[in-house]
Amino acid sequence: MTWTNPLTLLRHGWTRHWNPDRPVRTVVSNLPFEDLKKREQPNRRYEGNAIKTNKYRLWSFIPMNLFEQFHRMANIYFVGLAILNFVPVVNAFQPEVALIPICVILALTTVKDGWEDFRRYQTDQQLNNTPCFIFNRKQMCFMERRWKDVRVGDFVRVLSNEIIPADILLLHTSDPDGVCHMETANLDGETSLKQRKVVPGFSTLGESFQPQTFDSSVVCENPNNNLNLFKGYVERPDKRRTGFGIDSLLLRGCTVRNTDDAAGIVVYAGHETKSMLNNSGPRYKRSKIERKMNTDVLFCVVLLFFMCLIGALGHAIWLETFTSMPSYIVPDSNGNYIPSVLAGFYMFFTMIILLQVMIPVSLYVSIELVKMVQIFFITQDVELYDEELDSRVQCRALNITEDLGQIQYIFSDKTGTLTENKMVFRRCSIMGTEYCHEENAARLAVLSGANEEEEVTIYQQTKLPPLFPLEELQDVHTGDKNHANTQVTAASRRRSKVEAGAQSDMAFSSPLETVVVPDRKLMLEVDRQMASIQTGPYLDFFLALAICNTVLVSSVKAQKQRVKGRRNSSYSGGSFHNMRQWFRKCGLGKVFTSMKFFKRGVETLADPFSTDEDESDGFHSSNVSDATGQKGISSERKVKSSPSGSEEVCYEAHSPDEAALIHAAKAYGFSMVERTPHYVTVKLPNEALLKFEVLDILTFDSTRRRMSIIVRHPHTKEITMYTKGADSAVMERLGNVFSDMTQVDSEAKQVPVKTQKDLDMYARNGLRTLCFAKKVISEQEFRAWSAVRQEALSAMDEKEERLMETANFIESNFNLLGATGIEDRLQESVPETILALRRAGMQLWVLTGDKPETAINIAYSCKLLEHEDLVFTFSTNRKSVCKMRLEDTLGELRRSTLAPGADHQFRGYNSAFTGPLMEPSIGLVIDGPTLSMAMSDELVEQFVELCKHCRAVLCCRVTPLQKSAVVKLIRQKLRVMTLAVGDGANDVNMIQAADVGIGVSGQEGMQAVMASDFAITRFKHLQRLLLVHGHWCYSRLANMVIYFFYKNVAYVNLLFWYQFFCGFSATAMIDYWLMIFFNLFFTSAPPIMFGIMDKEVSDSTLLSLPELYKRGQHSEGYRRSTFWIAILDAFYQSLVCFFIPYWTYNGSDIGIFAFGTPMNTVSLFTIILHLAIEIKSWVHLACLEGNAGALPSPPRAAARATPPVPSGAADQRVAWSPRHVYLSFSQLINHTHSTVRRATLPHAPRTTMPQNLNIANKPKPIFLFCTHGCRFVQCFQIIPLAME
């Protein structure tokens, strides 16, 4: 029998659970194998469903935690020194004392880690013991079990409003159409429902689910963290395969909605589920200051090495000066003296132990504490609180606050970031005829100018839990009655809104977005076609608006059931709060009472505000992705019941574009009333119902930039494909309309030409454009295409590429129906914010998927581009042309920059403070294809050089991958600090690629927020976050780090200078306890408070002078020169603090500690007074004793509804003056020294100074004409007398 290495067996057993080399996993039912042992079951190699997020066990907690802590080099360094101190030949002082600092730090960290891990353990236990229903073969029914009992291959049943315990392949639902609705808020923050459908062929209407009859095998891909991708097939015993995708997978952690029950087979469990694979924990980034600080710590180590080397050489030389060894040098046990060279070698290590304070042991702990409090101040800033959404800034990265003060380049998305992302239908063009909707424009003009408080709106916002709770504070002051009344009114208004919407999770839109006043001319044309032929391009256009989308329809009753079940739907350990809705009182209904244009039957459009508000579902335009990175917005609308008494329905939309389009179709009488996987029903203007059979849906993706639905018309039985998408994605698929120039005047040619002119006009006006087209497919063509499509759906290899090929094949030879123009308005204060950021020295880039005309219009509106700017536009499909344009542009820029009389159009505002410089004011507009060529290896250097000259860059028609590539390129090539801000899933890559990622928690779900470092609700908040908090955090932390290095070097040099007078014997004239606790206690609190509270410039000054921000951009607060100046200053001050007492006591017979303790006290005073000088801002407060004091003023940090401090409130505060602090500190030092010395060395004799130390018989005043010398003369006269 051969012996096998146990490690090999362990490795084989470990890879048995999940082998990444296996291309697929095969799952079979566990029911036939229930009686077998676990090792004989076919699904045994897959992970169980029990999760474990805690890191430690009770027995392994101490060793594992210490092992993790010793990954930090600082801990290894100090533990090594403590152990070295136990070696007799090199020890510097009592070994036990040397262990105290590192033991205290390790113990505190251990307690913190243990408490956090225990909380994770409690959460795991709560989650693992959540009840669920698993099918049991013996009982032939679903039995209640726990989540931890679920295994891959089990059949699990989930009821309405329950959380899904594992990743389940859907095989049965109670819905007659075989669909199940799922809410994914716990995964991606989107509250809109996702529709899941049963795998074809596994659900029969009216029959109950029988898991025991399932004899097929499930073949799917290995576990991965892609929430939008899942592929596989079900193979029956007869080898027939049925493909499925992500639309058949129920994800763990999501909640079943609007479905009584759903059942399926578990394919992924536990840590292999998509939700757990996406749970990577908090993001860790190293800030720029931290990277510099680590380098400076290494410089301190080098400095310590040279100081110890000097001590070793000095000791060896000193021993060589003796002809015979003096009596105080003790020989070894054999009576032999250590050779001078070996003694010097030992002394090197002894000096390391003695001068270990050179390395700041408490610096890293202090920085973490300071950053935590800085985050608290940021989250509590009332100016960053959004009362409309009841949300504030969220800090998700705890260690890069100071990077907010060093940003040089900002990359921003457009839709939802610079704009409101509230889409408003404005215009449309049908068959070449443009309809301007003047009445609707008049209504929008009135609404946009009306008081926001009078608008009937329910706002929905899903928020991640902030780091610190925002407390509701009551107004207890009576000095300012107006302010108090305002606060009470606001608080009561908030309470009424919350009470009104507390029981509802439905999200409605305002009349500004949902109500569309039809165009008279267009309405007459629709009525004419409806009355005559009931078919035609106009009807097809509105049918495309109504059904070519991903809108889900559910009943109001189901929505109420969904709300009731919220108590069970909170995911344990999840990160989402319940949503709040706010109602606002409507007062605008009378504005349009005279606008009675049309009446159709009993329905009237006389008062647009009398209709029920709706925020339905729109389309993902060119910069909105559906399948690969879908932006989401939940919107629901009450649709009035039909005359037959049908139940009211609600719409669930995934994007605001779709919401605007379906509302426009509704305004003209085309209402979608039902959607199932196989049918979609539309109510026509004449109240008739059209029930289309859905044959296939080609979902939107960022590559094709269009979406198609293939249906069978109920009347003509024709197979029709309706398509909508970006203008370029649809126009290029119109067949030979543009290629055939022989029929220029034909109608088929004129419609696209006229539509293109209308599209260009829409883009110039800043509207988002979409094109709609139609294609009739023959039965034979569809059957052939459907067979290829099904093969692609069942494929495991290159599935996405094959599906893309089938979609591109069928989406051709369109007949153009028309186009739409949708308005997305700028957010409040966006132009002012961009101007302020530009004055602060930041370069702004806007990366959008919109067409160039639309993006340029928005760029001028938001002041990204000015009319006097010189704007270069790059748009080409040829690389040679792109290269030539780059060379010509760079040549022109070099000539204009070097010319002595450069034209005024090249001048911008890039000055250090306020004045304009002779710097070119240049803008660059580049589209996606050209950008790809410019970023190629051949042209990338020229492109980057051109970007360095540009004040603003606008990238149009770019994909999410291009966004992240641009950020990485500028960050790496220019070595600048970058910030990316976005609001949707297509911005996640860009946010994660930047040094600082900002997520806007608007209407596009929470994926951008979840991937970001900081989250805001409005783009305007970026101004205060960077210019105020960024500046404060950077300046405070930079000054604190420099001060830490200064104080340690200044203190340890006292011991170093003393070595020149004691033969470099590593003798310390300061008590060991005072040295050990120098960093831990005596000088720990002041720099921490300095890093938390100091404020060199007020927030109002920083906002009014954005140029002050450039101090952080240029790293003026923490440079290499600043570090070395602080080190030299520390050397100088240590010389003063050492030699003044030395000359004072020269020749006296005082003891060594009587000499060293005043020196220690003077040094501590020097270090504290140095900090007092470094503090930039002081505020004087009167205390109860009548003494005037000074404290660093805190930053502006207040909770929501916090009243201002009335006059006289300062009299009620107690403030310590510097005199109080310094006297108490000195008493604390002396008392600690005497107490510890009596406790440790009660019978120790007085220690005399070395013979070579000359001290005078009595103190004498020394007058030094320098700042540091004069500061301590009086202390030297008083302290020695007190010590005697």
Side-chain angles (χ1 to χ4, degrees), residues 1024 1028 1098-1105:
R1024 183 174 181 85
V1028 177
S1098 65
D1099 55 348
S1100 59
T1101 304
L1102 290 172
L1103 292 175
S1104 60
L1105 293 175

Side-chain angles (χ1 to χ4, degrees), residues 457-565:
T457 311
I458 302 175
Y459 294 95
Q460 171 200 3
Q461 174 65 22
T462 306
K463 303 182 293 298
L464 294 175
L467 185 63
F468 301 97
L470 186 63
E471 303 293 341
E472 290 274 1
L473 300 180
Q474 296 182 353
D475 193 344
V476 296
H477 303 284
T478 58
D480 191 345
K481 294 184 178 180
N482 294 332
H483 180 80
N485 293 335
T486 303
Q487 295 294 332
V488 171
T489 304
S492 61
R493 183 168 62 250
R494 285 194 300 270
R495 285 195 299 270
S496 64
K497 292 173 184 175
V498 173
E499 290 171 1
Q503 300 300 323
S504 175
D505 278 313
M506 294 185 297
F508 292 77
S509 296
S510 65
L512 184 68
E513 305 164 77
T514 59
V515 179
V516 178
V517 178
D519 185 89
R520 293 189 181 189
K521 181 181 175 182
L522 179 56
M523 181 63 77
L524 293 175
E525 184 65 29
V526 172
D527 288 341
R528 185 186 63 80
Q529 290 196 5
M530 284 297 302
S532 57
I533 58 177
Q534 294 191 359
T535 184
Y538 284 82
L539 303 186
D540 284 330
F541 177 81
F542 287 107
L543 285 175
L545 262 64
I547 67 175
C548 190
N549 51 53
T550 58
V551 175
L552 301 181
V553 183
S554 59
S555 65
V556 174
K557 179 180 179 181
Q559 290 293 334
K560 293 178 180 178
Q561 180 187 12
R562 170 184 174 186
V563 174
K564 283 184 178 180

Side-chain angles (χ1 to χ4, degrees), residues 749-1018:
K749 177 71 175 179
Q750 288 298 316
V751 170
V753 171
K754 293 180 180 178
T755 304
Q756 186 61 53
K757 292 181 180 179
D758 295 333
L759 287 170
D760 295 338
M761 183 262 292
Y762 293 166
R764 288 193 298 271
N765 293 335
L767 302 182
R768 296 163 59 89
T769 58
L770 289 175
C771 286
F772 292 82
K774 171 189 175 182
K775 177 183 179 180
V776 178
I777 307 173
S778 65
E779 290 282 350
Q780 183 178 1
E781 181 184 2
F782 178 75
R783 285 198 210 97
W785 176 85
S786 182
V788 178
R789 179 79 173 178
Q790 291 303 318
E791 290 180 4
L793 287 172
S794 303
M796 291 297 298
D797 299 329
E798 299 181 349
K799 179 177 180 177
E800 290 74 24
E801 292 78 3
R802 297 177 64 177
L803 290 175
M804 182 72 67
E805 291 177 1
T806 59
N808 288 330
F809 177 81
I810 198 69
E811 290 177 328
S812 60
N813 297 321
F814 289 133
N815 293 321
L816 185 63
L817 296 176
T820 59
I822 301 175
E823 181 183 23
D824 187 11
R825 302 186 178 187
L826 279 179
Q827 291 185 18
E828 179 187 3
S829 303
V830 168
E832 294 81 359
T833 301
I834 290 179
L835 289 177
L837 297 177
R838 183 170 291 153
R839 287 179 58 192
M842 284 172 265
Q843 306 295 323
L844 271 77
W845 290 45
V846 173
L847 313 176
T848 178
D850 285 351
K851 61 185 305 182
E853 293 83 359
T854 303
I856 291 174
N857 182 280
I858 297 295
Y860 280 107
S861 301
C862 68
K863 303 300 182 183
L864 179 72
L865 297 175
E866 300 285 354
H867 291 287
E868 61 270 14
D869 291 347
L870 178 63
V871 180
F872 294 99
T873 302
F874 282 69
S875 179
T876 179
N877 293 323
R878 298 174 58 186
K879 192 173 184 179
S880 59
V881 176
C882 180
K883 181 179 180 180
M884 182 181 64
R885 288 291 310 277
L886 283 173
E887 293 174 350
D888 294 344
T889 305
L890 286 174
E892 182 181 352
L893 289 178
R894 295 189 188 103
R895 290 191 300 271
S896 61
T897 305
L898 296 177
D903 191 81
H904 68 278
Q905 66 179 348
F906 290 99
R907 303 180 185 181
Y909 290 85
N910 294 330
S911 60
F913 287 95
T914 55
L917 287 180
M918 299 289 293
E919 186 72 18
S921 179
I922 300 171
L924 174 64
V925 179
I926 186 170
D927 61 7
T930 311
L931 181 64
S932 299
M933 291 182 287
M935 294 176 62
S936 62
D937 295 337
E938 182 182 353
L939 303 178
V940 64
E941 296 296 337
Q942 295 173 310
F943 175 67
V944 172
E945 184 180 356
L946 174 61
C947 294
K948 289 169 60 177
H949 292 83
C950 296
R951 188 182 69 167
V953 178
L954 179 62
C955 300
C956 314
R957 296 293 197 195
V958 293
T959 64
L961 291 179
Q962 283 181 313
K963 290 184 179 182
S964 61
V966 168
V967 175
K968 292 177 182 177
L969 175 67
I970 299 301
R971 178 186 174 188
Q972 295 171 0
K973 292 291 185 179
L974 300 183
R975 298 185 180 276
V976 292
M977 291 291 293
T978 59
L979 179 146
V981 53
D983 72 314
N986 62 343
D987 303 319
V988 169
N989 293 334
M990 175 180 69
I991 289 174
Q992 293 179 337
D995 294 289
V996 179
I998 305 290
V1000 179
S1001 55
Q1003 303 191 47
E1004 290 288 348
M1006 301 294 286
Q1007 293 190 41
V1009 172
M1010 295 170 67
S1012 65
D1013 303 310
F1014 301 88
I1016 56 179
T1017 57
R1018 292 283 185 265

Side-chain angles (χ1 to χ4, degrees), residues 1054 1057 1061 1132-1148 1150 1155 1158-1160 1162-1163 1166 1253-1256 1258-1280:
L1054 298 177
W1057 303 133
F1061 300 95
Y1132 163 69
Q1133 294 187 26
S1134 65
L1135 286 171
V1136 174
C1137 293
F1138 178 83
F1139 282 101
I1140 289 181
Y1142 167 74
W1143 290 329
T1144 302
Y1145 290 109
N1146 188 19
S1148 67
I1150 63 171
F1155 167 72
M1159 188 179 298
N1160 179 78
V1162 168
S1163 178
T1166 304
L1253 180 62
N1254 257 335
I1255 298 181
K1258 59 181 180 179
K1260 53 187 176 182
I1262 298 176
F1263 299 92
L1264 301 177
F1265 294 96
C1266 64
T1267 304
H1268 300 292
C1270 296
R1271 200 177 292 164
F1272 312 114
V1273 171
Q1274 294 181 352
C1275 296
F1276 298 147
Q1277 299 293 328
I1278 299 172
I1279 295 177

Side-chain angles (χ1 to χ4, degrees), residues 360-633:
V361 63
S362 58
L363 175 59
Y364 293 95
V365 178
S366 301
I367 287 178
E368 289 183 3
L369 180 60
V370 168
K371 288 183 178 181
M372 289 288 291
V373 182
Q374 287 179 348
I375 288 174
F376 173 79
F377 285 145
I378 293 175
T379 57
Q380 299 299 310
D381 191 348
V382 68
E383 297 296 335
L384 298 179
Y385 169 71
D386 193 330
E387 184 177 3
E388 180 181 291
L389 299 177
D390 190 21
S391 180
R392 53 173 173 186
V393 63
Q394 302 173 26
C395 300
R396 301 177 54 79
L398 307 182
N399 52 340
I400 58 171
T401 54
E402 67 273 23
D403 282 350
L404 292 173
Q406 304 174 80
I407 302 300
Q408 296 166 284
Y409 276 74
I410 295 180
F411 300 88
S412 174
D413 180 36
K414 183 185 76 66
T415 305
T417 304
L418 300 179
T419 60
E420 290 283 357
N421 203 19
K422 295 180 179 179
M423 306 302 174
V424 180
F425 183 85
R426 294 302 303 263
R427 312 170 76 111
C428 68
S429 175
I430 305 177
M431 299 303 295
T433 304
E434 204 274 329
Y435 300 95
C436 59
H437 290 74
E438 295 179 354
E439 297 86 354
N440 191 54
R443 180 190 69 90
L444 293 173
V446 175
L447 274 180
S448 60
N451 188 355
E452 185 184 2
E453 295 292 331
E454 299 176 352
E455 198 173 317
V456 179
T457 311
I458 302 175
Y459 294 95
Q460 171 200 3
Q461 174 65 22
T462 306
K463 303 182 293 298
L464 294 175
L467 185 63
F468 301 97
L470 186 63
E471 303 293 341
E472 290 274 1
L473 300 180
Q474 296 182 353
D475 193 344
V476 296
H477 303 284
T478 58
D480 191 345
K481 294 184 178 180
N482 294 332
H483 180 80
N485 293 335
T486 303
Q487 295 294 332
V488 171
T489 304
S492 61
R493 183 168 62 250
R494 285 194 300 270
R495 285 195 299 270
S496 64
K497 292 173 184 175
V498 173
E499 290 171 1
Q503 300 300 323
S504 175
D505 278 313
M506 294 185 297
F508 292 77
S509 296
S510 65
L512 184 68
E513 305 164 77
T514 59
V515 179
V516 178
V517 178
D519 185 89
R520 293 189 181 189
K521 181 181 175 182
L522 179 56
M523 181 63 77
L524 293 175
E525 184 65 29
V526 172
D527 288 341
R528 185 186 63 80
Q529 290 196 5
M530 284 297 302
S532 57
I533 58 177
Q534 294 191 359
T535 184
Y538 284 82
L539 303 186
D540 284 330
F541 177 81
F542 287 107
L543 285 175
L545 262 64
I547 67 175
C548 190
N549 51 53
T550 58
V551 175
L552 301 181
V553 183
S554 59
S555 65
V556 174
K557 179 180 179 181
Q559 290 293 334
K560 293 178 180 178
Q561 180 187 12
R562 170 184 174 186
V563 174
K564 283 184 178 180
R566 289 287 175 166
R567 65 183 185 276
N568 296 325
S569 63
S570 59
Y571 184 40
S572 300
S575 59
F576 291 92
H577 285 298
N578 290 331
M579 295 178 295
R580 301 179 180 177
Q581 295 93 15
W582 289 3
F583 292 84
R584 296 178 183 263
K585 187 176 181 180
C586 177
L588 298 176
K590 298 180 180 179
V591 176
F592 292 97
T593 53
S594 60
M595 299 174 63
K596 301 182 179 180
F597 303 132
F598 311 102
K599 291 186 178 180
R600 184 181 289 115
V602 296
E603 182 180 357
T604 178
L605 293 175
D607 184 3
F609 296 94
S610 63
T611 60
D612 295 324
E613 269 70 62
D614 169 20
E615 183 180 312
S616 194
D617 175 353
F619 171 62
H620 317 75
S621 184
S622 57
N623 66 331
V624 187
S625 58
D626 183 6
T628 58
Q630 180 174 336
K631 290 185 174 182
I633 175 175

